[in-house]
Amino acid sequence: MTGAVITITITLLVVGGITGSVVAYFRLLRHRADAVAMAEFRRLAEELPAVQQALHSQLGALDERLRSIENLLRSVG
């Protein structure tokens, strides 16, 4: 009887160890994927001010053109 208990205990410990290792491995993979995604978000966040400044400049140029067109239309009308 004690031999069976010892065998079952050893088997459960081995299975538990393997299960724990597999779970830890997949958690590691998930964290690596999260780290890659976070690095991409950081890169995009660093580029954002330059892109916003370029858009702001383009909007200023469009605003200037629109004002000149409005002035032209008012002088004609």
Side-chain angles (χ1 to χ4, degrees):
M1 183 71 173
T2 56
V5 172
I6 292 173
T7 305
I8 291 172
T9 304
I10 291 173
T11 305
L12 288 176
L13 286 173
V14 169
V15 169
I18 292 172
T19 303
S21 298
V22 169
V23 168
Y25 175 73
F26 284 111
R27 281 187 184 167
L28 175 67
L29 289 181
R30 186 177 59 205
H31 287 300
R32 281 185 184 171
D34 290 345
V36 169
M38 199 55 121
E40 182 68 19
F41 287 137
R42 282 191 194 114
R43 185 186 64 76
L44 290 174
E46 288 172 357
E47 292 177 4
L48 186 63
V51 172
Q52 284 180 339
Q53 183 63 32
L55 286 175
H56 185 67
S57 300
Q58 288 178 353
L59 282 175
L62 286 174
D63 187 42
E64 206 173 294
R65 283 182 169 178
L66 183 62
R67 287 179 197 215
S68 66
I69 292 172
E70 284 177 347
N71 289 336
L72 180 65
L73 288 174
R74 285 188 185 137
S75 68
V76 172

